[in-house]
Amino acid sequence: MALVRQRSAVAFLIAILQVADATGSCLDAGEDCSLRDAAAEAGMRVGAAMEPSHFSDPDYGPVLALEFDSLTLENSMKWQATEPVQDNFSFAHADAAVAFADANSMTVRGHNLVWAQARVDSTPDWVEAITDPDELRAVLATHVQTVVGRYAGKVDAWDVVNEPLETAGTALFENHFFQVLGPGYIAEAFALAHAADPSATLFLNEVLISNGGPKFDAFLALVTDLLQQGVPIHGVGFQGHYFGPPDPVQLEANLRTFADLGLIVEITELDSLLRPGPDLASRLAVQGDEYFAVARACARVPACARITTWGFTDRYTWIDSFLGPGFAPLPLDVDYNRKPAHTGLRNGMLERIAPTAVPVWSPGWSIVAWLGFSALGTFRLREPGRRDAN
Ligand code: XIL
């Protein structure tokens, strides 16, 4: 009964917000403005990672379509999902998401074609078993042609290679494609994707490049080299998983560095963990400041075209299984209520058209708190009222 009441309340709220959104400018509408309308007004796009399996939750689809004008399949366009067995393609989930996007005037980011880190949900074992270069090349070509070809004109951007570098290092990650084909596998994958859909924007997507340092330098060198080789790379994706506090000054500088090379830049997988703090309200406020700072960094760079959050409701976040529950890293809470992170993301995007004098956020005390938090290791705080997704 309580659940039914809550769902009707969400439906009612959505109806009110749709009316409010239709009537005025986001700069005036404040809390009534959706992320989607704010992005449109700012001349940007805002997306979320999603999975059609959650459509059975009746609030999931309506809130997704209300708040976002772009989506990314969280897992269902990865190789393991699309070609779990050689030449046996499976597109049910990806097709459902693309149809949903089409019905709701959303664009789709394709994620991803090659992600050969040894992890779940990426490259299937049968691919990893191929040691003959010609055979692996043929398999890569079939995969890219089939997946990209199927969604040509429907998926506007592809993460062609995901996480080419070592997670915590500076060298190319020696994944299976590297081992069998050599470092040229990246250029080969881009060429195949470009041939399969010449109109798609092709991205190299990487984690932990928001800050300066050796990994950023190595990534810049890699992209520069690909451009010099004439590889059809059009964009760079900054994943934006903020396990620690963001540094917005450095992020903006790094985005500009790639924009200056003529590339599109995007924040492709934004989420920001709740930091420790005296009470939930202040922790949510810090998270809101972080979302604002990241969104503003993107908004200030004309080539930064889209911000995608990795999920959108704390009801379904990969962080729960990756790090454990309680980090609540997304803009909507487990009941789809807007959090300060929603306000921050929305206002950050609006900085593109109406810059304010809000000082650049400094990680300040939250860095110190985070260091202490990391040292404690298992210290996790639970968000009051959280209920399990399952
Ligand atoms: C994650 C998904 O969110 C999880 O459900 C899955 O089990 C593993 O992959 N960087 C990426 C994403 O590029 O594809 C990852 O997604 C999160 C980290």
Side-chain angles (χ1 to χ4, degrees):
M1 205 42 209
L3 196 60
V4 171
R5 264 203 309 278
Q6 187 192 316
R7 283 185 180 147
S8 326
V10 171
F12 181 68
L13 181 68
I14 288 172
I16 298 271
L17 293 176
Q18 276 164 341
V19 171
D21 286 350
T23 54
S25 149
C26 272
L27 294 169
D28 304 327
E31 298 299 324
D32 284 343
C33 182
S34 69
L35 296 173
R36 177 179 185 145
D37 284 344
E41 216 164 307
M44 301 173 67
R45 283 194 178 273
V46 64
M50 54 75 73
E51 276 300 329
S53 52
H54 297 313
F55 284 150
S56 56
D57 171 348
D59 297 331
Y60 188 84
V63 174
L64 177 64
L66 171 77
E67 297 282 6
F68 299 94
D69 63 7
S70 173
L71 61 81
T72 304
L73 273 299
E74 185 167 349
N75 290 304
S76 293
M77 276 190 183
K78 292 172 183 170
W79 197 318
Q80 176 65 50
T82 50
E83 196 186 4
V85 175
Q86 185 166 8
D87 293 327
N88 198 338
F89 287 87
S90 160
F91 290 117
H93 289 175
D95 283 356
V98 170
F100 178 86
D102 193 37
N104 291 285
S105 307
M106 305 164 86
T107 51
V108 181
R109 287 197 95 251
H111 176 85
N112 53 59
L113 298 173
V114 177
W115 183 28
Q117 307 249 7
R119 293 189 195 174
V120 286
D121 297 329
S122 58
T123 309
D125 290 347
W126 70 264
V127 178
E128 303 262 340
I130 299 170
T131 53
D132 175 64
D134 292 337
E135 193 184 342
L136 189 61
R137 268 195 186 96
V139 158
L140 180 64
T142 301
H143 184 76
V144 172
Q145 281 154 9
T146 307
V147 178
V148 176
R150 182 179 188 88
Y151 297 113
K154 295 179 179 162
V155 165
D156 74 314
W158 275 102
D159 290 331
V160 176
V161 176
N162 192 33
E163 301 183 356
L165 297 179
E166 293 171 347
T167 305
T170 57
L172 282 180
F173 182 72
E174 296 197 8
N175 62 38
H176 188 64
F177 292 93
F178 178 97
Q179 285 168 12
V180 178
L181 304 179
Y185 85 90
I186 297 177
E188 290 184 37
F190 273 86
L192 289 167
H194 189 54
D197 182 3
S199 66
T201 311
L202 303 184
F203 280 75
L204 196 60
N205 197 44
E206 187 54 278
V207 67
L208 298 175
I209 52 167
S210 293
N211 294 337
K215 180 158 184 182
F216 175 79
D217 296 343
F219 188 68
L220 175 60
L222 171 61
V223 172
T224 306
D225 181 48
L226 292 172
L227 286 169
Q228 278 166 359
Q229 287 177 48
V231 172
I233 170 172
H234 313 120
V236 160
F238 286 58
Q239 288 190 3
H241 294 293
Y242 288 103
F243 302 113
D247 177 343
V249 175
Q250 192 63 55
L251 172 61
E252 184 181 331
N254 290 359
L255 292 169
R256 282 190 197 283
T257 298
F258 287 108
D260 289 346
L261 295 177
L263 295 168
I264 293 170
V265 282
E266 293 190 9
I267 313 287
T268 53
E269 303 184 19
L270 177 61
D271 51 15
S272 200
L273 276 51
L274 277 184
R275 315 294 167 211
D279 52 58
L280 182 64
S282 56
R283 299 171 68 206
L284 290 169
V286 167
Q287 186 181 53
D289 289 346
E290 294 186 6
Y291 266 87
F292 175 80
V294 170
R296 177 160 78 168
C298 173
R300 287 162 61 103
V301 178
C304 195
R306 170 162 47 188
I307 300 173
T308 297
T309 55
W310 205 243
F312 58 100
T313 162
D314 291 331
R315 187 177 289 202
Y316 311 113
T317 163
W318 76 298
I319 294 292
D320 278 358
S321 45
F322 189 60
L323 296 178
F327 291 106
L330 291 165
L332 303 176
D333 73 11
V334 291
D335 293 320
Y336 296 95
N337 298 307
R338 293 172 172 180
K339 296 163 63 183
H342 179 283
T343 314
L345 176 51
R346 185 193 65 217
N347 288 346
M349 291 189 289
L350 291 172
E351 290 277 308
R352 191 156 176 128
I353 48 168
T356 61
V358 177
V360 173
W361 181 72
S362 145
W365 68 266
S366 102
I367 283 197
V368 175
W370 181 69
L371 288 173
F373 161 77
S374 305
L376 284 173
T378 56
F379 176 50
R380 294 184 191 116
L381 293 165
R382 243 181 128 73
E383 191 185 6
R386 182 181 196 286
R387 66 186 165 77
D388 278 337
N390 301 313

